Amino acid sequence: MNTKTKVLLAEDEISLGMIIQESLESRDFEVVLCSNGEIAWEKYKTSKPEILVLDVMMPKKDGFTLAEEIRKIDPFTPIIFLTSKGQTEDVVKGFGQGGNDYIRKPFSMEELIVRIKAQLSRKQLKTQQSDWLELGKFEFHPTRQLLKFGTTESPLTARESQLLQILLENCNDITDRSLILNQIWGADDFFNARSMDVFITKLRKKLQDDPEIQILNIRGYGYKLVC
């Protein structure tokens, strides 16, 4: 039985597309490679991928337009954009079109693979949001925005809950700072970064009853939830 994760990859630079395809297939992914947005749209409808990796600048149908069309019928399959465009407004537009992550070219294959796995883990966790999730000696309910320690329940704000969920999805791994900022605050800038630091401090206080739980600041990269 085929248990490989199916990735739909849309990349109009043929050599880059083949490099990405070979790298992912060597990690036991199944890759459907498309050279433009129109082909990717047709392949999406027939191949039922578990995650999409879309170049933004493609002929016939760009990645943003393709993502917008997919989101009309599929709000759940993760979408990662690949692009050489690095302006803040482009990143914001990408998330606004339904993207889950945004990788600027050039990038390492290890970075892409880590981000694909993070999105797949997040997708799996979302199917469990009706349940309590274990977090050390705590339990966390993302949908109800609650932390439970023993029999004591503590409410979380929507932003605290979003932040904790992203950290938990990448538990014991580094969570990219810009990924958090773009997904929750909508932009990676100085003022949002300061706001995020405040929320990290709030979460640390709410989790302090379990000394085994730490939220580490990995300078220059992001945060790591150690549990």
Side-chain angles (χ1 to χ4, degrees), residues 10-221:
E11 172 57 65
D12 68 316
E13 295 181 44
I14 301 301
S15 58
L16 176 58
M18 292 181 66
I19 290 171
I20 297 173
Q21 181 182 28
E22 290 173 3
S23 297
L24 291 178
E25 289 179 343
S26 71
R27 303 298 184 92
D28 218 27
F29 290 92
E30 178 183 345
V31 180
V32 178
L33 176 60
C34 309
S35 59
N36 65 60
E38 285 189 355
I39 295 174
W41 172 238
E42 295 304 319
K43 290 291 186 182
Y44 163 77
K45 291 185 287 186
T46 58
S47 64
K48 297 181 180 179
E50 293 168 72
I51 188 167
L52 300 102
V53 180
L54 309 179
D55 184 33
V56 171
M57 301 298 292
M58 291 188 292
K60 299 187 179 180
K61 193 188 298 287
D62 65 76
F64 287 159
T65 301
L66 176 58
E68 185 177 21
E69 292 181 355
I70 288 171
R71 283 293 176 249
K72 290 177 181 178
I73 59 174
D74 177 1
F76 301 114
T77 303
I79 296 174
I80 298 176
F81 288 119
L82 304 178
T83 184
S84 56
K85 301 172 71 175
Q87 298 297 319
T88 299
E89 56 267 28
D90 296 321
V91 177
V92 172
K93 182 178 179 181
F95 285 104
Q97 299 295 90
N100 300 92
D101 203 353
Y102 202 103
I103 303 180
R104 295 180 177 89
K105 298 177 181 178
F107 56 88
S108 71
M109 286 307 308
E110 289 302 317
E111 178 186 8
L112 176 59
I113 290 167
V114 165
R115 289 176 182 258
I116 287 175
K117 289 182 176 179
Q119 289 301 324
L120 292 171
S121 295
R122 187 167 297 132
K123 179 183 178 183
Q124 184 177 9
L125 273 179
K126 284 180 179 178
T127 66
Q128 304 170 343
Q129 283 190 354
S130 61
D131 301 323
W132 288 93
L133 305 176
E134 290 187 11
L135 176 56
K137 295 178 182 177
F138 285 87
E139 291 180 276
F140 169 48
H141 202 299
T143 305
R144 294 171 59 193
Q145 297 172 197
L146 291 173
L147 265 181
K148 182 160 64 174
F149 188 80
T151 58
T152 304
E153 293 185 358
S154 303
L156 299 172
T157 66
R159 192 154 283 181
E160 287 171 343
S161 185
Q162 286 178 294
L163 179 55
L164 182 57
Q165 184 174 356
I166 290 176
L167 292 171
L168 181 56
E169 287 162 359
N170 299 290
C171 188
N172 296 316
D173 287 322
I174 297 173
T175 305
D176 186 271
R177 189 179 182 88
S178 63
L179 183 150
I180 299 172
L181 287 168
N182 283 307
Q183 286 206 359
I184 300 179
W185 276 267
D188 179 358
D189 59 37
F190 173 78
F191 296 103
N192 287 333
R194 293 295 298 272
S195 176
M196 179 173 67
D197 291 339
V198 171
F199 277 89
I200 289 288
T201 299
K202 289 180 178 180
L203 285 179
R204 284 176 175 145
K205 289 181 179 178
K206 293 188 174 185
L207 295 167
Q208 64 185 357
D209 286 333
D210 184 350
E212 298 296 319
I213 298 176
Q214 298 181 70
I215 302 177
L216 305 179
N217 183 3
I218 311 300
R219 185 176 296 275
Y221 295 95

